[in-house]
Amino acid sequence: MLLPVWERGCVRPFLYADCMTTSPQGSASPQGPGGLQTETERTASAPSDPPGSVRVLNRSAPARLAAPLLGTVGAQRFARPDARSLASASWALLGVLGLSVLVGLLLQAPCMSGGYELPRASFRMCSSPVALSLLGEAAPQAPGAISSGLPGFSLLTYWFTVAVSGALGAAPAEGMAILLVLNSAAFAAMGAGMLVLVRRLGLPGHGASWAAVGFLSPVIVFSIGQSLEPVGVAAAVWACVLLLGSRSTGSLVGAGALLALAAAAGPLGLVVLLAVLLGTSRDRGQAALVLAGFALLTGLILLADGRLPGRLSLWFADAIDRGSLASIALAQDWSDATTLTTGLLVVWGLGLVALASLAISRSMHRPVHTALTAPEAASGPREEAASGAFRGEGARSAAAGDPEDQPSSNLPDRTALRAMEAADERAHMRRTALTLTAMLGFSVIVAPGSSTSLSLWLVPFAALMVPYLWVHAVWFFAELGFALASHLADAAAVDASTGLADTWMSLFTLLRFLSLALVTAFALDELFRRSG
């Protein structure tokens, strides 16, 4: 019986020199023509193999089964997908995102045809504060809910309602159609940016498939018609993409401008800016360029809307909305709105400072690796640059057994050093992304108004940086229950005999906060693991 090369126990079965046996007389002889050996020859040579001969291993040995994936000739086609496969996988993942967006659009269809008046819209799960603003109405009076206007502090959403109702004079259904188109494009941009982040961060152990976890989130389904915060989230994701590129002057200034746009869409854009400044803290010049781009666009926004301080004071007077810890305390009449808002803002600021200090200490704890001892230099996408530096004459002479030409005895060349520096920079940016995930999770927990749209800021970063499926499953069902409960609570505010009671609303809010705390805790756990 003839055995193929990979069934003869060779260390490197595709190299002919490694498949030589030593005869009892000490002479080397190949194992048959074409690298094959008969069953008789193999059985006869096994009992009397002298030292140095090759032992025949078990056919089911893990080392032999995994031999094509361990760096042998022609093994790269098993381990690395080609460009066509990557493109197909990316389009498939974007299709998953498109499915979630389609569900969100279908959820808005009953209100587009029948109107956004309450409580009808709440029972159909398609009510929207933007639609109420376009109708000239306000949310019903309820403890722990905003009734003075648009929830949150979003300049883009406010400008949109003013432009649609005033300048364009569009009907509420037409204005909501424009909002849905803009948010659908924003979700598409966010999904494409997430796929680019996966490749540039070089995430080990999980890849683009984890983006599907975020694409299937109910937060996308229920936030598509609530505000223009999806535009801010997409801008924040692409700002991070620019920072992971060549970091030219234009890209850094552009990242700062995108972060200014994100801050105009929602206050959590400022949290992303803080994390980005932490990520560029190694080079003060880069941080200054990011701040320059942010200040430039922010100055233009202040010139366009000079009533920003007045809007801040109005928001502070009625900042508490459903979904926050303050809304539970206010519904139970434990304190007044001003005290709760001030206390939560102070805790929010102190918590962000603590997380930033933790990130800086973790970054200082782990030094920069610029030598071959860096353990991360041979994992993920970094293998390609490092392997090219070592698959030269040194590797061939090492395979031939020349001790003077071993790669470990030579200094690394410039390609290897650049690969090590790039690997360390990529690891630093992964720690920054984990810090950003923890900051956003903490912000959603302690914000005075924590709506479903606010959770959208956490979705792209938590999906990529927290690789625990059960954690995402808990968060998935908690957000789904909270979104349904919010609509039913609005219906109960109009008619107390229908909808959901405040006690049940508080219960779903607490369950959501527990899931958000779980996501934040695992993000911090990953940060400590990568910094240890």
Side-chain angles (χ1 to χ4, degrees), residues 441-513:
F442 175 76
S443 300
V444 177
I445 292 174
V446 301
S450 182
S451 61
T452 301
S453 298
L454 206 66
S455 296
L456 184 62
W457 293 87
L458 182 60
V459 168
F461 303 101
L464 299 182
M465 305 309 300
V466 183
Y468 299 96
L469 188 59
W470 70 272
V471 174
H472 290 282
V474 171
W475 186 30
F476 177 96
F477 289 107
E479 289 286 355
L480 179 61
F482 171 75
L484 298 177
S486 298
H487 287 286
L488 295 177
D490 289 337
V494 178
D495 186 0
S497 61
T498 61
L500 194 67
D502 291 335
T503 305
W504 286 103
M505 182 63 200
S506 301
L507 177 60
F508 281 106
T509 301
L510 289 175
L511 291 177
R512 173 176 177 251
F513 281 135

Side-chain angles (χ1 to χ4, degrees), residues 101 105 130 176-190 220 223-232 234 456:
V101 173
L105 294 176
V130 176
M176 287 300 298
I178 297 174
L179 178 71
L180 294 177
V181 170
L182 292 176
N183 283 343
S184 298
F187 281 128
M190 182 195 74
I220 295 177
S223 64
I224 192 171
Q226 300 298 309
S227 66
L228 278 176
E229 287 193 81
V231 176
L456 184 62

